[in-house]
Amino acid sequence: MSAMLMMKQVTKNYGDGGRTMSVLNKLDLTVNAGEFIAVLGPSGSGKSTFLSAAGALLTPTSGEIWIDGESLTNKDKRELTELRLQKIGFMFQNAQLLPYLKVEEQLLYVARLAKLGTKESKERAAGLMKRLGIWERRSHYPEKLSGGEKQRVAIARAWMNKPAILFADEPTASLDFERGREVVRMIADEVRSEGKAAVMVTHDERMLDWCDRVLHLENGMLAEHQNTEAATVQV
Amino acid sequence: MFLALREMRHSKARYSLIMVIMLLVSFLVLFVTGLARGLAYANISAVENMPANYFTVQDDAEHTFRRSQLSEAELAAAMSVVGDGNAATLAVQTSTVTAEAAEVKADITFFAVDMDGMLAPKVVQGEALTNASQGSAIVDSKLEESGIAVGSTIVDQASGMSFKVAGTVEDSSYSHMPVVYITKSDWQLMKGGAAQEGSAQLSAPYNVIALKATSAEADQVAGKLDHVEVITQKQAISSIPGYAAEQKSLLMMIAFLFVIAAFVLAVFFYVITIQKTSQFGILKAMGTKMSYLAWSVVGQVLILSVASLAVSLLLTFGMNMGLPDTMPFQLERSTILLTCVLFIGMSLLGALISVVRVAKVDALEAIGRAGA
Ligand SMILES: Nc1ncnc2c1ncn2[C@@H]1O[C@H](COP(=O)(O)OP(=O)(O)OP(=O)(O)O)[C@@H](O)[C@H]1O
Ligand SMILES: [Mg+2]
């Protein structure tokens, strides 16, 4: 199995001169194709920092990161932008759709950026929208959609360019329990059907049913099964 | 342009508002420019329409026609350089005339020219004069408002000489006054009569010599004659009394309008851009290149400024048709082009600060922000 994301000894320090704070501390992680991973952690534990570093938005203080075999070290801003376009799909808190694009155009826009052919991108967009149940909504503006529908459009947009890996930042935060679970299930379904990988950051432990692995961000490092086992026992 | 167009489609009210403001400003720019040009033309059309590109003036005259005095000797020297047909004397005299039939006075400028030379007036109504004509004049058609037309007789107040109007010309003003063309021999009579203190035999001097010449020839003429300067038509026009002051104030207004246009647009776009900061963060995180976003902003500004210019051009032409004749208005194609290019240029300059702002947005802002 090939590694879609590999992080080795990644450290991120914040601080001015004397007082530095290690948010990520020699963090190691490998995510393989077909894997859906959840990262849990309390507020301020560094979840956003972790996701930004893995998603090529933030350069770590030290350590190395590979996306789909490509190292992020020594890449300039332009190259990182191009890599995000081609290899990474993002889902943000609150969906963050562009208010002035209709649902279908949200998908076609990223396809245009990646210079996909018109016919090919229309077909791919149609396929994604049908699978995610937003086909009927394709010519609506985001303002006319429910929160769950918006996140489904965000899922479709994130997968549009066939990225190697999808990063989701609290995708369920603005949704109720049922809608949230549905969104997570759909991310998991897409990971399987696309044969790619996904990393979801969340603080909601009820959303983990479809995740292959659950990791905890503690003291700047990722640790496997700790609270999860306790949680599972309780249920 | 994908984003730019769709955003404008979605926020029609917001972009229409900007367009209306730009339209009003660009209309004002075009309109004031047209008035300035019209005023300029009404002021100096007689000199502007001369086929001469250089003028020979006395070097202590500070480029002003009326202060300069030249004689036949200088004309002969100039002719020897540029050829007989490309040099002609011009004598200028402001005066007041009364029309014999009507009880009106009019301020005019006498132009005494060689009726066979290059400065001979182009008569549109009536008959042209020859150098042999005596007591006849060709007048600017604007004098018709004072009741002076072909066949009228006008009397010069200063000299008491009377002239029969043989024909009229169009667009011949000097210092906002209609021009009355007379022959060189009548000029000598007029001047001889005015300075009849013994020296009546001497021929009265002319003011300037108009030249149709290359710049090399102009230099040659200047070198050949002492105490003489050769100036361009542009320099001559800006030395016409009142012209520079008038044009400077109008130019000032136009310059301010341009600055206001750029400023208004810049502020509007800047505010819109700030509102969209998080959107730009998301777009960058998704892999949109900065150049793409910059073109998006610039594209919107281009569309808005070109569209509002087009509408205001139509408005300007419509307005021009409804304008009374006493309000001179003139817009040549080259002036329109220059104004439009400048306006678009200033708009783009205003858009630049928004582009800088967009460039400063960090894609990192997309992650970990709950608010939209
Ligand atoms: N640019 C920065 N400069 C300095 N400190 C920062 C910066 N960004 C984040 N931090 C600090 O790093 C720590 C981790 O922040 P981060 O946003 O990654 O936490 P988080 O786990 O995402 O929290 P939450 O669940 O509240 O979103 C916090 O203590 C925060 O104050
Ligand atoms: Mg966070």
Side-chain angles (χ1 to χ4, degrees), chain A residues 47-48 169-170, chain B residues 368:
Chain A
K47 301 186 297 293
S48 296
D169 181 29
E170 310 234 16

